[in-house]
Amino acid sequence: MRNTFGNNIKITIFGASHAPDIGVSIEGLPSGFAIDMDELRAFLKRRAPGQGAHTTARKEPDEAEFIEGLTDGKTGDTPLKVIIRNTDIKPTDYNSIRDIPRPSHADYTAFVKYGEKHDVSGGGAFSGRMTAPMCIAGGICLQLLARENIQVAAHITQIGNIRAPEFDPVHPTLPVLGTKVNDDMLAAIEEARQEGDSLGGIIECAVVGIPAGVGEPMFDGVENHLSAIIFGIPAVKGIEFGNGFAAASLRGSENNDAFIIKDGNVQTRTNNHGGILGGITSGMPIIFRVAIKPTPSITIEQDSVCLSKMEAAKLSITGRHDPCIVPRAVPCIEAAAAIAIYDLMRK
């Protein structure tokens, strides 16, 4: 199982959803960097479970415990090793599904790949729980990028069929959700939860302040690098940069971004390219959107199979699950983007 990402900054994620702990080791950080622990704690809290009716009932404090690599609160020459202790585990919640794979989960493919040794409790190593240690690494990279005046921010643009404003692609600032849009999204999540169902959505992310010239053509492009780590987040099913798929219905004259000189620098008048040309940053903000599928764990009865008997079976999933993972995925997208961008910047 490949659980390491990065070339210059390498993160390795370990553990499982209902294991005693989960964690991350981080190699390649600059020595002598003082991590703002309060800022990191606040960032992790945005992803943490158990914060309302629209999230899972599982309650985890998600406190980052630094085991190795810090001296007097500063990074050194050795890798960081950080763990989060799992305090609210209930592996027995998954006894009924050990022989019946959950639709749209990794249960079946993991069984084919790893056999009966695969841990199905909470999804094991395939769980969204594994994004917590990713957020530790990402939270640190966000702080490091801020020193270079590079900002990463994401927001929800869609839940179910309810849409919200997108970034201004040239001068992105976080759009303020109108009360009605916010209330409609929460109401849609609650309706799905009451019906034993779930919702997906779209998250948009912007990277502002990154200079031109970062990245490589072909297989080392910025899109490649970002996509690789973004797809490491469970529930991600698609990604697009700039105009993305909408560009397919446009003419070149509509989609092209005219070059201009502004404040002595080359810029583009529009930003349909999403800040990346030929795999290399143009100096414009990087803009991308990520599609998040509906949470597969629903209480509505579904069709599946019994693997031991090789016959049809019915499945109704119990336990603690998010009716919509999108709100808690926002900081995960920011974390993943920060790791990928900082890895590219460290060359």
Side-chain angles (χ1 to χ4, degrees):
M1 182 182 296
R2 186 173 184 271
N3 55 348
T4 298
F5 175 87
N7 299 312
N8 305 293
I9 298 292
K10 291 187 178 181
I11 69 164
T12 301
I13 293 174
F14 55 86
S17 178
H18 286 251
D21 55 58
I22 53 179
V24 62
S25 66
I26 312 169
E27 302 175 54
L29 293 174
S31 181
F33 177 67
I35 300 169
D36 186 327
M37 294 300 178
D38 289 336
E39 187 176 324
L40 180 61
R41 191 175 296 110
F43 182 68
L44 293 176
K45 187 175 180 180
R46 290 173 55 200
R47 195 223 68 93
Q51 300 190 68
H54 65 284
T55 69
T56 173
R58 180 175 178 176
K59 293 186 180 298
E60 296 283 1
D62 280 1
E63 286 286 341
E65 188 174 330
F66 287 75
I67 304 299
E68 298 174 9
L70 277 189
T71 303
D72 297 327
K74 296 182 179 180
T75 56
D77 298 326
T78 58
L80 282 183
K81 184 178 180 181
V82 195
I83 65 169
I84 294 174
R85 300 189 187 277
N86 289 328
T87 62
D88 190 16
I89 59 176
K90 294 184 179 180
T92 54
D93 282 351
Y94 300 89
N95 287 341
S96 62
I97 63 167
R98 294 188 185 279
D99 196 34
I100 304 176
R102 295 167 293 178
S104 287
H105 269 282
D107 296 344
Y108 173 67
T109 52
F111 172 79
V112 173
K113 181 78 174 180
Y114 302 110
E116 294 183 357
K117 64 182 179 180
H118 166 58
D119 179 12
V120 301
S121 301
F126 295 86
S127 171
R129 178 88 183 120
M130 305 310 296
T131 59
M134 180 187 287
C135 283
I136 294 174
I140 295 170
C141 287
L142 283 167
Q143 294 182 29
L144 287 162
L145 287 172
R147 297 199 308 178
E148 307 294 328
N149 295 316
I150 298 172
Q151 307 295 325
V152 181
H155 70 118
I156 298 168
T157 63
Q158 185 172 338
I159 286 181
N161 59 7
I162 301 167
R163 298 191 63 88
E166 294 183 348
F167 281 124
D168 178 331
V170 177
H171 303 289
T173 56
L174 276 176
V176 178
L177 288 185
T179 301
K180 185 178 187 308
V181 174
N182 186 66
D183 289 348
D184 286 351
M185 285 182 172
L186 291 175
I189 294 172
E190 177 59 18
E191 181 181 2
R193 187 186 72 83
Q194 292 282 356
E195 295 174 357
D197 216 331
S198 63
L199 289 175
I202 296 174
I203 295 171
E204 185 180 40
C205 187
V207 182
V208 182
I210 187 167
V214 176
E216 305 285 345
M218 294 292 287
F219 305 123
D220 281 330
V222 177
E223 295 109 325
N224 308 54
H225 211 53
L226 279 166
S227 298
I229 192 169
I230 293 294
F231 277 108
I233 299 172
V236 169
K237 298 301 291 183
I239 187 168
E240 66 174 9
F241 294 85
N243 271 358
F245 284 96
S249 62
L250 299 176
R251 292 189 173 194
S253 57
E254 298 171 304
N255 190 63
N256 290 351
D257 298 303
F259 286 107
I260 60 172
I261 302 296
K262 185 175 181 180
D263 300 326
N265 297 309
V266 175
Q267 297 184 17
T268 57
R269 185 174 291 117
T270 51
N271 190 19
N272 298 325
H273 67 287
I276 306 165
L277 293 167
I280 301 171
T281 57
S282 67
M284 297 297 288
I286 295 174
I287 305 288
F288 66 91
R289 284 166 295 277
V290 177
I292 307 291
K293 71 179 181 181
T295 312
S297 291
I298 58 177
T299 59
I300 294 174
E301 188 176 73
Q302 302 176 81
D303 291 323
S304 186
V305 294
C306 175
L307 294 173
S308 62
K309 298 178 181 178
M310 292 300 289
E311 64 182 26
K314 295 289 187 180
L315 177 65
S316 182
I317 300 171
T318 58
R320 303 164 297 175
H321 308 284
D322 293 83
C324 179
I325 202 65
V326 178
R328 291 177 58 211
V330 172
C332 302
I333 299 297
E334 293 175 355
I339 294 166
I341 294 299
Y342 191 67
D343 184 40
L344 290 167
M345 296 288 292
R346 285 284 283 173
K347 285 188 176 181

PDB file of all heavy atoms in Angstrom, residues 156 158-159 199-203 292-293 295 324-331:
ATOM      1  N   ILE A 156     -17.156  25.759  -0.141  1.00  0.00           N
ATOM      2  CA  ILE A 156     -18.178  24.923  -0.778  1.00  0.00           C
ATOM      3  C   ILE A 156     -18.886  25.737  -1.858  1.00  0.00           C
ATOM      4  O   ILE A 156     -19.335  26.862  -1.605  1.00  0.00           O
ATOM      5  CB  ILE A 156     -19.206  24.432   0.260  1.00  0.00           C
ATOM      6  CG1 ILE A 156     -18.531  23.556   1.314  1.00  0.00           C
ATOM      7  CG2 ILE A 156     -20.340  23.662  -0.423  1.00  0.00           C
ATOM      8  CD1 ILE A 156     -19.412  23.264   2.514  1.00  0.00           C
ATOM      9  N   GLN A 158     -21.168  23.847  -3.938  1.00  0.00           N
ATOM     10  CA  GLN A 158     -22.402  23.104  -4.215  1.00  0.00           C
ATOM     11  C   GLN A 158     -22.555  21.973  -3.217  1.00  0.00           C
ATOM     12  O   GLN A 158     -21.588  21.281  -2.876  1.00  0.00           O
ATOM     13  CB  GLN A 158     -22.372  22.521  -5.635  1.00  0.00           C
ATOM     14  CG  GLN A 158     -23.666  21.840  -6.055  1.00  0.00           C
ATOM     15  CD  GLN A 158     -23.653  21.465  -7.527  1.00  0.00           C
ATOM     16  OE1 GLN A 158     -22.915  22.033  -8.322  1.00  0.00           O
ATOM     17  NE2 GLN A 158     -24.469  20.504  -7.893  1.00  0.00           N
ATOM     18  N   ILE A 159     -23.775  21.795  -2.721  1.00  0.00           N
ATOM     19  CA  ILE A 159     -24.171  20.604  -1.968  1.00  0.00           C
ATOM     20  C   ILE A 159     -25.488  20.122  -2.563  1.00  0.00           C
ATOM     21  O   ILE A 159     -26.453  20.892  -2.651  1.00  0.00           O
ATOM     22  CB  ILE A 159     -24.320  20.876  -0.461  1.00  0.00           C
ATOM     23  CG1 ILE A 159     -22.935  21.026   0.183  1.00  0.00           C
ATOM     24  CG2 ILE A 159     -25.100  19.756   0.222  1.00  0.00           C
ATOM     25  CD1 ILE A 159     -22.956  21.263   1.668  1.00  0.00           C
ATOM     26  N   LEU A 199     -25.632  13.141   0.789  1.00  0.00           N
ATOM     27  CA  LEU A 199     -25.424  14.091  -0.301  1.00  0.00           C
ATOM     28  C   LEU A 199     -23.933  14.271  -0.572  1.00  0.00           C
ATOM     29  O   LEU A 199     -23.102  14.089   0.322  1.00  0.00           O
ATOM     30  CB  LEU A 199     -26.021  15.462   0.044  1.00  0.00           C
ATOM     31  CG  LEU A 199     -27.543  15.594   0.080  1.00  0.00           C
ATOM     32  CD1 LEU A 199     -27.921  16.992   0.563  1.00  0.00           C
ATOM     33  CD2 LEU A 199     -28.139  15.337  -1.298  1.00  0.00           C
ATOM     34  N   GLY A 200     -23.605  14.660  -1.808  1.00  0.00           N
ATOM     35  CA  GLY A 200     -22.249  15.048  -2.172  1.00  0.00           C
ATOM     36  C   GLY A 200     -22.211  16.521  -2.511  1.00  0.00           C
ATOM     37  O   GLY A 200     -23.157  17.262  -2.229  1.00  0.00           O
ATOM     38  N   GLY A 201     -21.121  16.953  -3.146  1.00  0.00           N
ATOM     39  CA  GLY A 201     -21.031  18.359  -3.498  1.00  0.00           C
ATOM     40  C   GLY A 201     -19.735  18.701  -4.201  1.00  0.00           C
ATOM     41  O   GLY A 201     -18.983  17.818  -4.631  1.00  0.00           O
ATOM     42  N   ILE A 202     -19.468  19.992  -4.312  1.00  0.00           N
ATOM     43  CA  ILE A 202     -18.276  20.494  -4.988  1.00  0.00           C
ATOM     44  C   ILE A 202     -17.567  21.494  -4.077  1.00  0.00           C
ATOM     45  O   ILE A 202     -18.209  22.361  -3.474  1.00  0.00           O
ATOM     46  CB  ILE A 202     -18.628  21.164  -6.329  1.00  0.00           C
ATOM     47  CG1 ILE A 202     -19.227  20.129  -7.290  1.00  0.00           C
ATOM     48  CG2 ILE A 202     -17.394  21.817  -6.957  1.00  0.00           C
ATOM     49  CD1 ILE A 202     -19.745  20.733  -8.588  1.00  0.00           C
ATOM     50  N   ILE A 203     -16.251  21.361  -3.992  1.00  0.00           N
ATOM     51  CA  ILE A 203     -15.412  22.284  -3.232  1.00  0.00           C
ATOM     52  C   ILE A 203     -14.475  22.980  -4.209  1.00  0.00           C
ATOM     53  O   ILE A 203     -13.875  22.342  -5.076  1.00  0.00           O
ATOM     54  CB  ILE A 203     -14.599  21.538  -2.160  1.00  0.00           C
ATOM     55  CG1 ILE A 203     -15.539  20.927  -1.113  1.00  0.00           C
ATOM     56  CG2 ILE A 203     -13.580  22.463  -1.499  1.00  0.00           C
ATOM     57  CD1 ILE A 203     -14.853  19.996  -0.142  1.00  0.00           C
ATOM     58  N   ILE A 292     -17.051  15.812  -4.769  1.00  0.00           N
ATOM     59  CA  ILE A 292     -17.106  14.883  -3.637  1.00  0.00           C
ATOM     60  C   ILE A 292     -18.377  14.051  -3.762  1.00  0.00           C
ATOM     61  O   ILE A 292     -19.482  14.601  -3.877  1.00  0.00           O
ATOM     62  CB  ILE A 292     -17.130  15.640  -2.289  1.00  0.00           C
ATOM     63  CG1 ILE A 292     -15.966  16.626  -2.189  1.00  0.00           C
ATOM     64  CG2 ILE A 292     -17.140  14.657  -1.129  1.00  0.00           C
ATOM     65  CD1 ILE A 292     -14.615  16.001  -2.072  1.00  0.00           C
ATOM     66  N   LYS A 293     -18.231  12.735  -3.744  1.00  0.00           N
ATOM     67  CA  LYS A 293     -19.412  11.881  -3.906  1.00  0.00           C
ATOM     68  C   LYS A 293     -20.240  11.841  -2.614  1.00  0.00           C
ATOM     69  O   LYS A 293     -19.740  12.168  -1.522  1.00  0.00           O
ATOM     70  CB  LYS A 293     -18.988  10.458  -4.289  1.00  0.00           C
ATOM     71  CG  LYS A 293     -18.329   9.654  -3.173  1.00  0.00           C
ATOM     72  CD  LYS A 293     -17.974   8.252  -3.653  1.00  0.00           C
ATOM     73  CE  LYS A 293     -17.340   7.428  -2.545  1.00  0.00           C
ATOM     74  NZ  LYS A 293     -16.961   6.070  -2.994  1.00  0.00           N
ATOM     75  N   THR A 295     -21.796  10.378   0.698  1.00  0.00           N
ATOM     76  CA  THR A 295     -21.300   9.383   1.636  1.00  0.00           C
ATOM     77  C   THR A 295     -21.937   8.032   1.324  1.00  0.00           C
ATOM     78  O   THR A 295     -23.164   7.917   1.299  1.00  0.00           O
ATOM     79  CB  THR A 295     -21.650   9.785   3.077  1.00  0.00           C
ATOM     80  OG1 THR A 295     -21.297  11.145   3.282  1.00  0.00           O
ATOM     81  CG2 THR A 295     -20.927   8.901   4.086  1.00  0.00           C
ATOM     82  N   CYS A 324     -23.279  14.056   4.946  1.00  0.00           N
ATOM     83  CA  CYS A 324     -22.619  14.800   3.876  1.00  0.00           C
ATOM     84  C   CYS A 324     -21.204  15.108   4.353  1.00  0.00           C
ATOM     85  O   CYS A 324     -21.017  15.794   5.366  1.00  0.00           O
ATOM     86  CB  CYS A 324     -23.376  16.088   3.560  1.00  0.00           C
ATOM     87  SG  CYS A 324     -22.598  17.081   2.246  1.00  0.00           S
ATOM     88  N   ILE A 325     -20.224  14.608   3.643  1.00  0.00           N
ATOM     89  CA  ILE A 325     -18.834  14.771   4.057  1.00  0.00           C
ATOM     90  C   ILE A 325     -18.246  16.089   3.568  1.00  0.00           C
ATOM     91  O   ILE A 325     -17.151  16.497   3.984  1.00  0.00           O
ATOM     92  CB  ILE A 325     -17.980  13.585   3.541  1.00  0.00           C
ATOM     93  CG1 ILE A 325     -16.698  13.434   4.375  1.00  0.00           C
ATOM     94  CG2 ILE A 325     -17.662  13.741   2.065  1.00  0.00           C
ATOM     95  CD1 ILE A 325     -16.917  13.061   5.806  1.00  0.00           C
ATOM     96  N   VAL A 326     -18.966  16.812   2.710  1.00  0.00           N
ATOM     97  CA  VAL A 326     -18.414  17.995   2.049  1.00  0.00           C
ATOM     98  C   VAL A 326     -17.898  19.059   3.027  1.00  0.00           C
ATOM     99  O   VAL A 326     -16.768  19.544   2.870  1.00  0.00           O
ATOM    100  CB  VAL A 326     -19.436  18.601   1.070  1.00  0.00           C
ATOM    101  CG1 VAL A 326     -18.881  19.872   0.423  1.00  0.00           C
ATOM    102  CG2 VAL A 326     -19.807  17.582  -0.002  1.00  0.00           C
ATOM    103  N   PRO A 327     -18.674  19.460   4.069  1.00  0.00           N
ATOM    104  CA  PRO A 327     -18.159  20.514   4.964  1.00  0.00           C
ATOM    105  C   PRO A 327     -16.829  20.143   5.623  1.00  0.00           C
ATOM    106  O   PRO A 327     -15.924  20.983   5.725  1.00  0.00           O
ATOM    107  CB  PRO A 327     -19.276  20.674   5.998  1.00  0.00           C
ATOM    108  CG  PRO A 327     -20.512  20.242   5.280  1.00  0.00           C
ATOM    109  CD  PRO A 327     -20.074  19.104   4.406  1.00  0.00           C
ATOM    110  N   ARG A 328     -16.679  18.892   6.046  1.00  0.00           N
ATOM    111  CA  ARG A 328     -15.443  18.487   6.709  1.00  0.00           C
ATOM    112  C   ARG A 328     -14.311  18.237   5.713  1.00  0.00           C
ATOM    113  O   ARG A 328     -13.142  18.154   6.106  1.00  0.00           O
ATOM    114  CB  ARG A 328     -15.688  17.225   7.546  1.00  0.00           C
ATOM    115  CG  ARG A 328     -16.567  17.476   8.766  1.00  0.00           C
ATOM    116  CD  ARG A 328     -16.849  16.195   9.517  1.00  0.00           C
ATOM    117  NE  ARG A 328     -15.614  15.561   9.927  1.00  0.00           N
ATOM    118  CZ  ARG A 328     -15.459  14.242  10.057  1.00  0.00           C
ATOM    119  NH1 ARG A 328     -16.466  13.428   9.762  1.00  0.00           N
ATOM    120  NH2 ARG A 328     -14.315  13.745  10.463  1.00  0.00           N
ATOM    121  N   ALA A 329     -14.652  18.140   4.429  1.00  0.00           N
ATOM    122  CA  ALA A 329     -13.617  17.921   3.418  1.00  0.00           C
ATOM    123  C   ALA A 329     -12.933  19.212   2.996  1.00  0.00           C
ATOM    124  O   ALA A 329     -11.854  19.165   2.403  1.00  0.00           O
ATOM    125  CB  ALA A 329     -14.224  17.232   2.196  1.00  0.00           C
ATOM    126  N   VAL A 330     -13.523  20.366   3.310  1.00  0.00           N
ATOM    127  CA  VAL A 330     -12.941  21.645   2.879  1.00  0.00           C
ATOM    128  C   VAL A 330     -11.511  21.814   3.398  1.00  0.00           C
ATOM    129  O   VAL A 330     -10.595  22.085   2.618  1.00  0.00           O
ATOM    130  CB  VAL A 330     -13.843  22.827   3.296  1.00  0.00           C
ATOM    131  CG1 VAL A 330     -13.138  24.161   3.020  1.00  0.00           C
ATOM    132  CG2 VAL A 330     -15.171  22.778   2.557  1.00  0.00           C
ATOM    133  N   PRO A 331     -11.251  21.656   4.721  1.00  0.00           N
ATOM    134  CA  PRO A 331      -9.861  21.787   5.177  1.00  0.00           C
ATOM    135  C   PRO A 331      -8.952  20.692   4.628  1.00  0.00           C
ATOM    136  O   PRO A 331      -7.742  20.911   4.497  1.00  0.00           O
ATOM    137  CB  PRO A 331      -9.975  21.716   6.705  1.00  0.00           C
ATOM    138  CG  PRO A 331     -11.266  21.019   6.971  1.00  0.00           C
ATOM    139  CD  PRO A 331     -12.170  21.440   5.863  1.00  0.00           C
TER     140      PRO A 331
END
